[in-house]
C-alpha cells in the first residue's frame, strides 16, 4: 500500500515515519509540509492512503481534500479532538490523536489494508478500449453497451451514472475505479464528479479563472476544473 504524509511539523513527520517503518506492507512515496504542496503531491503520486494533519499552512486538511481531483483513503493525525465528527463526515478512515500510539496506528493500518483488499476486483483489471462492450444492470433493466456510446460518467458516492443515448443507469462502481479501467485518450476526468468521452464534445467555452466549460452532444454542460483544464489543453494539443 502506497502512502503519503502531509504534516507541517518536521518532528511529527519524523515520529510518524518512525512508527510507519514497522509496517513492511506500507511504502512511503512522498511527504509535504503544507496544503498546496500536499495537493500537488497527491495528484501526481496518487497514494492509496494519506496521513493528513488538520492544521496546515495555507489551507486546513479539510480544504485540502476538497481541492483534490483524486481522493485516497484518509487517516487524520491531529492534536485536537474537536474535529473528529467532521472528519468522519468526510469519510475519514480513522482519526489519530497526537502523540500517536503504536497500537492505535496498527488498528488504523489494519483497517486500511482490509478496506483495500475488499475493494480489489476479483479478476485482474485490464484497460478497456472504446470498442469494448460492457454489461450494465440497474434494477430490472439491463444493457450491453459499447463504451464509445457512453458520453459521460458521473459520480454518486460509491456509485456512478452512465450517460448513453437517453439512458442514465446507476452502477456500483466508483469514478476512480472507472477511470483506472478507461482509455485516458478517450475518457477524460473533467473534475471530481465527472468523466467525459471527448468524442462527444460539441463546444468548448472559456469559464472562470482560466478554466473551461464543455458542452456535450447530449446537451450536458461540464465544468472542467482549473487544474484539469491545463491537462485537457496539453492532451488535446499538437
Amino acid at each position: 500500500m502506497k502512502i503519503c504524509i502531509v504534516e507541517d511539523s518536521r518532528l511529527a513527520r519524523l515520529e510518524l515515519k518512525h512508527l510507519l517503518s514497522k509496517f513492511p506492507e506500507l511504502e512511503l512515496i512522498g511527504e509535504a509540509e503544507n496544503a498546496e504542496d500536499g495537493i500537488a503531491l497527491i495528484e501526481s503520486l496518487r497514494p492509496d492512503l494519506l496521513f493528513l494533519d488538520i492544521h496546515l499552512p495555507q489551507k486546513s486538511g479539510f480544504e485540502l481534500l476538497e481541492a483534490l481531483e483524486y481522493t485516497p483513503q484518509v487517516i487524520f493525525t491531529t492534536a485536537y479532538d474537536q474535529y473528529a465528527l467532521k472528519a468522519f463526515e468526510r469519510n475519514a478512515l480513522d482519526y489519530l490523536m497526537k502523540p500517536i500510539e503504536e497500537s492505535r496506528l496498527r488498528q488504523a493500518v489494519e483497517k486500511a489494508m482490509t478496506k483495500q483488499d475488499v475493494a480489489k476486483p476479483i479478476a485482474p483489471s485490464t484497460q478497456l478500449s472504446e470498442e469494448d462492450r460492457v454489461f450494465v444492470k440497474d434494477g430490472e433493466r439491463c444493457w450491453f453497451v459499447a463504451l464509445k456510446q457512453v458520453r459521460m460518467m458521473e459520480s454518486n458516492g460509491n456509485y456512478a451514472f452512465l450517460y448513453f443515448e437517453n439512458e442514465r443507469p446507476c452502477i456500483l462502481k466508483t469514478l476512480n475505479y472507472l477511470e483506472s479501467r478507461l482509455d485516458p485518450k478517450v475518457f477524460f476526468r473533467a473534475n471530481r464528479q465527472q468523466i467525459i468521452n471527448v468524442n462527444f464534445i460539441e463546444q468548448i467555452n472559456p469559464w472562470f479563472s482560466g478554466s473551461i466549460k464543455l458542452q456535450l452532444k447530449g446537451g450536458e454542460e461540464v465544468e472542467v476544473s482549473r487544474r484539469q483544464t491545463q491537462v485537457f489543453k496539453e492532451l488535446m494539443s499538437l
Side-chain angles (χ1 to χ4, degrees):
M1 177 176 275
K2 293 178 170 58
I3 64 171
C4 283
I5 297 171
V6 180
E7 164 66 65
D8 65 329
S9 165
R10 179 175 172 274
L11 290 177
R13 287 200 310 277
L14 288 173
E15 176 61 21
L16 181 55
K17 285 192 291 184
H18 171 69
L19 291 171
L20 290 171
S21 68
K22 300 177 183 181
F23 299 88
E25 62 269 46
L26 303 181
E27 178 189 0
L28 179 62
I29 59 173
E31 56 186 282
E33 61 182 20
N34 60 62
E36 292 299 335
D37 288 348
I39 292 167
L41 182 80
I42 295 159
E43 295 289 6
S44 62
L45 299 182
R46 302 209 161 194
D48 302 307
L49 178 63
L50 172 65
F51 288 88
L52 178 62
D53 191 11
I54 290 177
H55 287 272
L56 295 167
Q58 304 164 343
K59 288 181 171 72
S60 71
F62 298 118
E63 291 171 324
L64 178 150
L65 292 179
E66 290 173 358
L68 293 175
E69 302 288 344
Y70 166 83
T71 307
Q73 293 188 68
V74 179
I75 295 174
F76 280 105
T77 59
T78 179
Y80 305 90
D81 61 1
Q82 65 263 40
Y83 301 106
L85 178 59
K86 187 175 181 180
F88 288 113
E89 287 175 348
R90 302 299 176 88
N91 295 319
L93 188 67
D94 213 329
Y95 189 92
L96 302 181
M97 294 290 298
K98 299 175 183 175
I100 297 170
E101 298 177 357
E102 185 178 339
S103 60
R104 275 292 290 119
L105 179 61
R106 184 170 297 279
Q107 290 176 5
V109 169
E110 287 174 354
K111 191 185 300 184
M113 297 297 294
T114 300
K115 189 168 183 179
Q116 186 187 47
D117 288 341
V118 169
K120 286 180 180 176
I122 295 172
S125 295
T126 56
Q127 193 174 80
L128 300 169
S129 76
E130 61 179 326
E131 298 300 325
D132 285 316
R133 299 174 74 88
V134 293
F135 176 75
V136 177
K137 185 177 187 297
D138 185 3
E140 297 301 315
R141 301 188 66 193
C142 301
W143 298 263
F144 195 47
V145 59
L147 283 174
K148 64 183 178 183
Q149 296 178 274
V150 177
R151 63 183 179 273
M152 185 170 76
M153 301 175 186
E154 187 171 57
S155 175
N156 181 30
N158 290 325
Y159 296 78
F161 293 108
L162 267 59
Y163 289 71
F164 57 92
E165 298 176 348
N166 294 320
E167 307 292 346
R168 199 185 73 147
C170 186
I171 62 172
L172 182 53
K173 299 291 182 186
T174 66
L175 212 62
N176 286 340
Y177 173 80
L178 293 172
E179 183 182 19
S180 72
R181 299 292 311 278
L182 299 170
D183 182 353
K185 294 178 183 177
V186 178
F187 290 94
F188 175 72
R189 182 73 176 260
N191 51 56
R192 292 182 66 187
Q193 301 298 319
Q194 295 160 317
I195 294 173
I196 58 105
N197 184 333
V198 297
N199 295 317
F200 280 87
I201 296 174
E202 189 169 60
Q203 192 171 334
I204 303 174
N205 297 309
W207 201 236
F208 295 110
S209 304
S211 64
I212 57 175
K213 178 185 278 191
L214 306 176
Q215 183 169 328
L216 304 185
K217 292 177 182 177
E220 298 84 7
E221 292 186 338
V222 177
E223 295 179 17
V224 182
S225 69
R226 188 166 53 181
R227 185 181 294 107
Q228 289 303 94
T229 292
Q230 186 59 39
V231 175
F232 180 82
K233 290 178 180 178
E234 292 173 359
L235 187 67
M236 298 301 162
S237 299
L238 291 173

